[in-house]
Amino acid sequence: MTQPVTESALSVEQNGLNTVPDAEHKGQPRELFWPWFAANISVLGIAYGAYLLNFKVSFWQAVIVGLLGIFVSFLLCGLVALSGKRGHAPTMTLSRAAFGVNGNRLPSLISWLLTVGWETVLCSLAVLATSTVFNELGWSDGTATKVIAMIVVAALIVGGGVIGFDFVMKLQQWITIITAVLTVVYVILVVDQIHWSTVSAIPAGGAPQVIGGAIFMATGFGLGWVNAAGDYSRYLPSSASSKGVVGWTTLGGALGPAILLIIGLLLVGSSQDLGQAINNDPIGALASVLPNWFLLIFLVVAILGLIGGAVLDIYSSGLALMSVGVHVPRPVAAGIDGTIMILGTIYFVFIADNFFYPFQGFLITLGVPISAWCGVFLADLLLRHKGYASRELFDPNGRYGNVNWVSVGLVVVGTAVGWGLVTNTAANWLQWQGYLLGPIGGKEGDWAGANLGVVAALLIGFVGYLLLGRRSVREQEAIPLDESEANLDIEEPAP
């Protein structure tokens, strides 16, 4: 039996879009818990309590729809992660089986924009969090503080992206342990500010508010990660438990946000002033309820949580950039994205006055086409009963073809319908969205904020591909796999 190659966590990973060789398969599904927990344990999860209560739902409604949105959306990540174990390649490489070798450039571009955009947002928030906490302490929060914070934060993020998989997995494990412990301390310090009588008195909302809240939570959490979920399971051996891959990815991603959301709902439900402050400045508001002696520790929690998410983003954004067609080694691709992230952070922190939230609105808008892609990808994964022909994923003349116009068309249609059923108040230049809401009350009606377009795009992609893509999958699988690719058989191994 071939033993897996073991390398130092500081060794620069050389694998990029390629299928990971058998000799490098390693790990167990439970190790997926660490990167996903670390990437989603940010204290901003507490702020989602304020955002969810803005939908005018009661505490118990918020708990139910919040947990539902979080766990279902991360279940989608778990299912996408299954492709990594089955095909041993990045998500956007395996996506070529459904979209064609060059047709996949479209979802790869969307994925790259989304991941490089969010890593820039998270890096910027980490720098601004430092300034906010220093201000609370009465220390200097000026340019020098922000520059030093940016250097430290960017070094960790870019370093993780460039070094690669083993370093990312080890870093996320330490971030998980540190932030989990310190978050428990945070909860103990603020528990006396929870007033159940006030929380329980929040009136209930109607169906539009409940559905809108659930979709909002799904969009804010798991649906923002689906395009990268297979990147972290691709080193696992083929014999790894598929249920374990799905389960540990789902639990790792959902557990932290679920706990933080409930804490946030209790805190914000106890104080309308805190909820309003979080809407304006989440880090500052969450710091304001703490004693001064814990503020520096809180800063560590906040920054590590943001770094945890940004590291996963930059690693996957580098892979997505390569999949778009930029022919550079993986470490160089991560370095390019890191440079863009640093330039974006400089602009947001030191130059822009009001572009940060509109930019977030743009990234949220990209969630609609990513949902359509996710639907197509999951349907393709469901239809396949044999392995991927790894070499043909790079050959437009192979079984997967150049462009699968059915898949591309489903993403385009799903996006067009989805954008017509969402509204975006974060950016004035996105006010054109919501053009299909007329029959259900228009842009000012009860359903305007329900984000129905996200679900519509997902369903169009999924159901559409099940109906229209089945034949192409059968034709692809009718071609025998080369013996050298037999290890990619995706049938669940016998117990």
Side-chain angles (χ1 to χ4, degrees):
M1 179 178 177
T2 302
Q3 296 297 318
V5 176
T6 56
E7 296 182 349
S8 165
L10 294 178
S11 299
V12 177
E13 179 193 10
Q14 299 304 312
N15 289 312
L17 298 182
N18 59 290
T19 300
V20 176
D22 287 358
E24 296 182 36
H25 293 178
K26 57 189 175 183
Q28 300 180 46
R30 64 172 177 267
E31 295 172 10
L32 294 172
F33 177 84
W34 303 113
W36 289 110
F37 188 91
N40 293 280
I41 191 60
S42 167
V43 293
L44 289 177
I46 298 176
Y48 271 82
Y51 305 151
L52 187 51
L53 288 179
N54 286 341
F55 280 85
K56 307 301 181 184
V57 293
S58 69
F59 170 78
W60 288 114
Q61 286 178 323
V63 169
I64 293 171
V65 302
L67 295 182
L68 183 66
I70 290 171
F71 277 94
V72 170
S73 64
F74 278 111
L75 175 60
L76 297 180
C77 287
L79 294 172
V80 173
L82 193 58
S83 69
K85 191 272 291 193
R86 290 177 170 180
H88 304 289
T91 313
M92 283 299 149
T93 296
L94 300 176
S95 179
R96 295 176 177 184
F99 286 85
V101 175
N102 288 313
N104 193 60
R105 293 179 191 270
L106 172 63
S108 295
L109 177 61
I110 297 170
S111 178
W112 178 76
L113 289 171
L114 196 60
T115 48
V116 79
W118 278 117
E119 74 201 37
T120 302
V121 168
L122 293 173
C123 183
S124 301
L125 284 174
V127 175
L128 294 172
T130 304
S131 177
T132 296
V133 171
F134 273 44
N135 182 61
E136 288 282 336
L137 288 167
W139 298 353
S140 172
D141 60 346
T143 300
T145 298
K146 293 175 182 176
V147 169
I148 294 172
M150 184 180 68
I151 292 172
V152 173
V153 170
L156 284 171
I157 296 172
V158 178
V162 169
I163 296 173
F165 182 84
D166 289 323
F167 180 78
V168 168
M169 296 294 280
K170 182 62 67 175
L171 177 66
Q172 299 297 73
Q173 182 175 352
W174 281 107
I175 289 177
T176 293
I177 295 170
I178 296 170
T179 53
V181 171
L182 296 182
T183 298
V184 170
V185 178
Y186 179 93
V187 173
I188 294 172
L189 291 175
V190 300
V191 70
D192 64 333
Q193 300 184 43
I194 296 173
H195 307 290
W196 176 246
S197 59
T198 304
V199 174
S200 60
I202 300 174
Q209 289 74 37
V210 170
I211 294 173
I215 298 174
F216 169 77
M217 295 301 295
T219 305
F221 286 99
L223 279 176
W225 288 109
V226 288
N227 52 308
D231 299 349
Y232 304 94
S233 55
R234 74 190 199 278
Y235 276 87
L236 291 173
S238 298
S239 60
S241 166
S242 295
K243 292 180 181 178
V245 170
V246 176
W248 284 108
T249 299
T250 304
L251 181 65
L255 182 60
I259 295 172
L260 294 174
L261 172 68
I262 294 174
I263 297 168
L265 290 172
L266 290 169
L267 284 173
V268 175
S270 301
S271 171
Q272 290 186 355
D273 290 341
L274 178 60
Q276 185 58 48
I278 286 176
N279 288 331
N280 295 327
D281 177 13
I283 298 294
L286 294 173
S288 68
V289 299
L290 293 168
N292 281 354
W293 67 265
F294 191 73
L295 284 177
L296 282 180
I297 301 175
F298 170 79
L299 179 62
V300 172
V301 177
I303 289 180
L304 286 180
L306 294 167
I307 288 175
V311 166
L312 257 63
D313 274 322
I314 195 170
Y315 181 76
S316 291
S317 72
L319 294 171
L321 181 63
M322 296 168 67
S323 189
V324 171
V326 178
H327 300 292
V328 295
R330 188 208 58 77
V332 175
I336 292 172
D337 288 350
T339 301
I340 295 173
M341 178 196 74
I342 292 171
L343 293 175
T345 301
I346 291 173
Y347 180 74
F348 288 142
V349 173
F350 299 104
I351 301 174
D353 292 327
N354 58 359
F355 188 67
F356 189 74
Y357 290 108
F359 183 66
Q360 283 187 298
F362 166 68
L363 296 176
I364 293 169
T365 294
L366 291 179
V368 172
I370 279 295
S371 294
W373 167 86
C374 181
V376 171
F377 188 84
L378 289 177
D380 182 77
L381 192 65
L382 179 64
L383 291 173
R384 292 191 182 277
H385 301 289
K386 296 182 180 180
Y388 296 90
S390 58
R391 283 186 291 276
E392 294 183 57
L393 289 168
F394 300 88
D395 181 6
N397 297 314
R399 73 184 70 197
Y400 303 120
N402 185 37
V403 179
N404 186 326
W405 291 108
V406 169
S407 300
V408 173
L410 287 171
V411 169
V412 172
V413 172
T415 300
V417 173
W419 281 343
L421 294 174
V422 298
T423 56
N424 198 326
T425 58
N428 291 330
W429 57 281
L430 295 172
Q431 294 299 312
W432 52 268
Q433 295 176 359
Y435 44 79
L436 296 178
L437 288 170
I440 52 175
K443 297 182 181 182
E444 304 299 327
D446 289 341
W447 291 98
N451 294 316
L452 296 175
V454 175
V455 174
L458 181 69
L459 291 176
I460 287 172
F462 184 76
V463 177
Y465 194 84
L466 284 181
L467 296 175
L468 303 175
R470 187 180 303 270
R471 180 178 177 180
S472 66
V473 173
R474 286 178 177 174
E475 291 175 348
Q476 292 170 7
E477 295 195 328
I479 306 172
L481 284 173
D482 186 276
E483 287 185 5
S484 64
E485 298 176 311
N487 64 303
L488 300 184
D489 183 14
I490 64 173
E491 294 295 331
E492 183 75 3

